[in-house]
Amino acid sequence: MAAPPAPRAVLLFDIDGVIRDVGGSYRRAIVETVRHFSGWAPDAAAIDALKAEGCWNNDWQASQELLRRHGGAPLPAYEALVEVFSGFYFGGDPAGDPSLWRGFIGQEPLLVDGPFFAALSGAGIAWGFVSGAEPPSARYVLEQRLGLAAPPLIAMGQAPDKPDPTGLLGLAASLAGVPLGPTAPPVAYLGDTVADVETVRRARRRRPDQRFEALAVAPPHLQRPGLEAERRRYEEQLREAGADQILASTGQVLELVSAPWPPGP
């Protein structure tokens, strides 16, 4: 039997803010966790500013850092913070039956649908996910809500946290079907934070013989009417961090792959 044809490109996605809107779930869990321990509720701008630093992709660590910067009471034990955060986000046992979860995870609008990925496959694009989300949360959105069968996924704990590119490089090589390098297909990553863009920059430094493309999109909470100025500022931060293209939405990827893509170097 002949081997399947090599993909013309590999496209990897972040999940939070790219595949699902987490403004009312993960971000809300940050707010409520910080409020629980300090009485202070950080606003969206404070969280955006922290994320723009490029090193707070892990929301547990981001919550702890917001508490540290706010001052006041001693910082909680990290394990206690994680437990409180998970209570808000999952509202049940993360390793248990998702139908029993009662937390914020039930309030996550999807930004794409199952046919979106079928269209990518039809265009000769191999795709997968590199996310800082906890594995049960990532599998829930990909498998149960989007109906994807065994989607290629690197989630929290399965590789070093972004912006370390280890997970991206490993999954990209697996999907390319050949070792990364000058004869491998181009690899693109679509994320919504400075850390996502920096992950691609570090991948380039680690594998300078492989072509990478950093795609970025502003998260959904900045795409609401009346927030145009804030969105432009955020997109400029992504651009300054090294994003090659800023997309208006995740769905715009289909416009890219309908033409010869990626364009030549």
Side-chain angles (χ1 to χ4, degrees):
M1 181 180 295
R8 64 184 177 100
V10 173
L11 179 55
L12 301 176
F13 296 89
D14 186 21
I15 293 177
D16 300 336
V18 174
I19 301 300
R20 62 180 172 187
D21 182 349
V22 296
S25 58
Y26 268 124
R27 280 177 167 259
R28 185 179 172 194
I30 292 174
V31 172
E32 295 304 330
T33 298
V34 172
R35 191 204 307 269
H36 173 86
F37 287 108
S38 70
W40 167 65
D43 61 15
I47 298 173
D48 284 343
L50 187 74
K51 294 281 188 178
E53 295 177 13
C55 56
W56 304 107
N57 192 65
N58 182 306
D59 287 341
W60 300 336
Q61 295 174 2
S63 300
Q64 187 178 55
E65 180 63 12
L66 286 165
L67 284 166
R68 187 190 70 78
R69 295 186 186 187
H70 183 66
L75 290 178
Y78 190 65
E79 295 77 9
L81 183 148
V82 170
E83 183 177 355
V84 168
F85 187 104
S86 293
F88 284 122
Y89 180 70
F90 287 104
D93 180 3
D97 183 350
S99 69
L100 300 178
W101 292 342
R102 297 294 181 265
F104 301 156
I105 191 171
Q107 303 170 30
E108 295 179 334
L110 295 178
L111 303 175
V112 293
D113 56 19
F116 170 85
F117 297 100
L120 290 176
S121 298
I125 307 297
W127 47 266
F129 306 89
V130 179
S131 170
E134 297 144 282
S137 171
R139 288 194 297 268
Y140 172 70
V141 68
L142 299 178
E143 297 176 3
Q144 297 198 31
R145 297 199 61 200
L146 285 169
L148 303 178
L153 168 67
I154 298 293
M156 178 190 285
Q158 297 172 340
D161 288 347
K162 296 178 292 184
D164 187 302
T166 301
L168 184 149
L169 290 168
L171 188 55
S174 175
L175 291 172
V178 296
L180 296 182
T183 61
V187 174
Y189 183 52
L190 175 58
D192 71 322
T193 68
V194 168
D196 294 328
V197 175
E198 178 61 20
T199 302
V200 177
R201 287 168 53 89
R202 295 190 187 189
R204 285 189 183 122
R205 290 199 291 270
R206 194 174 293 185
R207 290 304 309 259
D209 57 344
Q210 168 66 42
R211 183 165 171 213
F212 294 97
E213 185 140 337
L215 307 177
V217 62
H221 73 275
L222 291 177
Q223 301 196 28
R224 301 187 180 104
L227 295 177
E228 291 79 10
E230 290 86 348
R231 176 178 176 176
R232 285 194 295 271
R233 283 196 295 270
Y234 192 94
E235 290 176 340
E236 186 56 34
Q237 289 175 334
L238 295 171
R239 217 171 267 112
E240 290 174 355
D244 297 303
Q245 285 196 70
I246 306 292
L247 306 187
S249 67
T250 303
Q252 192 182 353
V253 162
L254 295 181
E255 298 176 19
L256 296 182
V257 303
S258 67
W261 181 84

